[in-house]
Every structure is written in structure tokens, then in C-alpha cells.
Amino acid sequence: MRRDGRGRGVSVAAATALVCALGLSAVPETAYAAPGEPGPAPGPGGGADGGATGGQSLEQVHQEVDGLYRKAESATDAYNLAREKQARQEKSILKIARAVVKAQKEMAGLRKRAGAMARAQYRGGGMPAEARLFLGGDPGEFLDGVTLARKGEQATHGLIGRLERTQVALDRYADSASQEWERLDRSRAKKAAAKKEILRKLARAQRLESRLAKDERERLRRLEEDKARGAQAKWLDTGILRQLGSGATAMGGRAVDFARAQLGKNYVWGAVGPDTYDCSGLTQRAWAAAGRAIPRTSQEQWRLLPKVSTKAMRPGDLIIYFRDASHVGMYVGSGAVIHAPRPGRQVTVAGAGSMPILGVVRPEAR
């Protein structure tokens, strides 16, 4: 997908490799306390990078890591949106270039015809056609000649008009191309800034996790699961399941089947399958498999797809999470979603209420 230095940037695989390289760089392991337990004192230089120190509890580490991943996910939406805009702008520039080539060919043909007319007039001695006709001796030829002269004059005017219109079109294309290049440069700059932010936050989160001992990483995972179960239980206590329908449409069912087939595949930043996914890459591909094209990012899915009440959602609908619409999962029935959680995790089934719900959208209602 890479064309040249001004192309679409590094591939997802290369970006992911860079994230891993940054996140798994050698750092000294630090022990973290479980919630309510005192932590060990920081070692030499503890806390120098402005984040977790040896005195943090696992709860604090969890909050910081989770916050970093959420912010990285939000920045990923900005990155993907800028990438989509860049792709559209590149197509627009290509379309303009083709139009310019066509107009230039037409202009060359028109100029050739104009030159032929000028040469013909020169060969006639420069005398106007009307004068030559008047001086002829045959009245019939004169009348026929008048008709031909008028047609020739109309053709000349038509040619001049086409020349002018074609030149105006060329000028317009030049202006459009210039504007599109400026927009393209802005999109590239936004994409680069978003990517830098993503890599920085992902690397920071992975550094924090890499400092945990093996048993502490497992305890952190259990802590995440406990918090998710608690949020799900609170959501179910509202009686929401009694109000939800269980039946999916044919199209929604195909989207759910696709999502289920991806269970266990790794989350990778910016990935859209078939072997790895990010959250919105999974939902986009699932609905593409069902026959419906939807936006690439969770924020655009929230902004552009028809919204439905949470109480009215059915399998195949997309649940948008967090106030900034930075995460998305697919509702699959029985109070559950399938989603790609974050780096270091796999596509999994989770409670639909295990994260703060912003709202629900229905792709097939478009």
C-alpha cells in the first residue's frame, strides 16, 4: 500500500512492530502492591518517567493502564479518520489529474483546428469570405456561398467558445488540485500527530505492564475481570434483559456469525483482519461480511449510523462505549457483546454492561 515518501505511511504491521518494540524495551521489574496492601519503596530513580512508582497499588496501575489504552483508542479513531480522508483526497487528486489530461488533449485538438482555419484564411489572401462571394459572377453560387460562409462563421465562433471553456476548465482543475494537495498535507499531518500520540500512549501502558512480575500481571488481569463483572451485574440489576429482544435479522445474524468466528484472535492497533483486529475494525468487517458497508472508526459509527434505544437493541447492533465513543462492541444477545478489547488481549465475549455505554447504533437501518 506504500507508494512513495508522500504515500499513506507505514503499514499496520510495521506500526504494530514499532509499538511492540517500544513497549517491550528492557526495564527493571518493579513489584506492585495489591489493593489495600502497602507497596515497596521505590528503587533508585523510581518514578523518574512521571508515571507509576513502586508505591502504586495494582488498582492504581490498572487505572493508569486502562486510561492510557482508552486515550490511545481515541487517538486511533483520529488516525483512522485522517487515513480515510487522505485516501479520499488521493482519489480526488487522481480524478482531477485524469480530467486535466482529457482537457489538455481536447485543447490540443481545438488549437490544431484553429490553426487550420487560420492557414485557410491566409491562403485566401486575407479577403473576407463575404467579399469574395460578392465579387463572384454566379448568383446561385453566391447564395450557396452565403450559407456556407454562415456555417463557417458559426463553426469559428463555436471553436473559439470551446477553446475558452476548455481553458477555464483547465484553470479550475489547477485550482482544485492545489486545494486538494493542501487538504492532503493537512490530513497527513493529522495522521502523523495521531500516530505519534498512539505509539506514545501504547508504549507507556506496555512499559507499566512489563514492570509487573508474572503473578502480578495475572492479578491485574483478574482485577480487570472483577471490575467488568461488577459493572455487568449492576447493569443487569436494572432488569434490562427482560426488555431486550433476542431475535436477529438475517443480516444481523450474518454479522454476529462473523464476529463469533473471530473469537480468540489478537487485538492489534489499526488492524482490520483477517487475523487481527482493533475494536472498530472488527465491527466494520463483520458488517461488511453481512453485506453492509459502515464507517471505519467507532466515533464515525456513532456519528453516522442510526441510533436506537438500548432497550430496543437486538443481536448485530453495535454498542458504543465511553463518552468519547472510543470503543465499540457487537451485541450478540443474552446481555453479551463480542469485542476486541485492547493490546495484549484477544477478541472475546464480554458483558454488554461491563463498560460505560454511550449508546447503540443499528447499521442495517441505514
Side-chain angles (χ1 to χ4, degrees), residues 48-67:
D49 62 359
T53 68
Q56 279 188 303
S57 68
L58 272 180
E59 172 69 25
Q60 291 170 321
V61 174
H62 164 69
Q63 289 177 355
E64 184 169 0
V65 168
D66 191 58

Side-chain angles (χ1 to χ4, degrees), residues 212-252:
L212 296 172
K214 184 177 179 180
D215 63 325
E216 290 172 324
R217 286 196 291 270
E218 181 57 31
R219 285 159 60 201
L220 180 61
R221 181 188 284 271
R222 289 200 302 268
L223 177 61
E224 291 177 355
E225 292 172 351
D226 289 345
K227 289 178 73 70
R229 278 195 294 269
Q232 174 73 354
K234 186 176 181 180
W235 184 67
L236 293 177
D237 284 345
T238 64
I240 185 73
L241 279 188
R242 292 192 297 271
Q243 303 174 57
L244 296 177
S246 58
T249 63
M251 186 176 283

Side-chain angles (χ1 to χ4, degrees), residues 246-263 277 282-294 314-318 330-332 338 363-365:
S246 58
T249 63
M251 186 176 283
R254 289 196 295 272
V256 169
D257 289 343
F258 180 93
R260 283 201 179 104
Q262 314 315 307
L263 288 171
Y277 295 91
L282 175 64
T283 54
Q284 184 192 41
R285 286 295 183 239
W287 271 101
R292 180 76 73 189
I294 66 172
R314 63 192 184 205
D317 289 347
L318 305 182
M330 177 177 292
Y331 184 65
V332 294
I338 291 176
E364 62 189 313

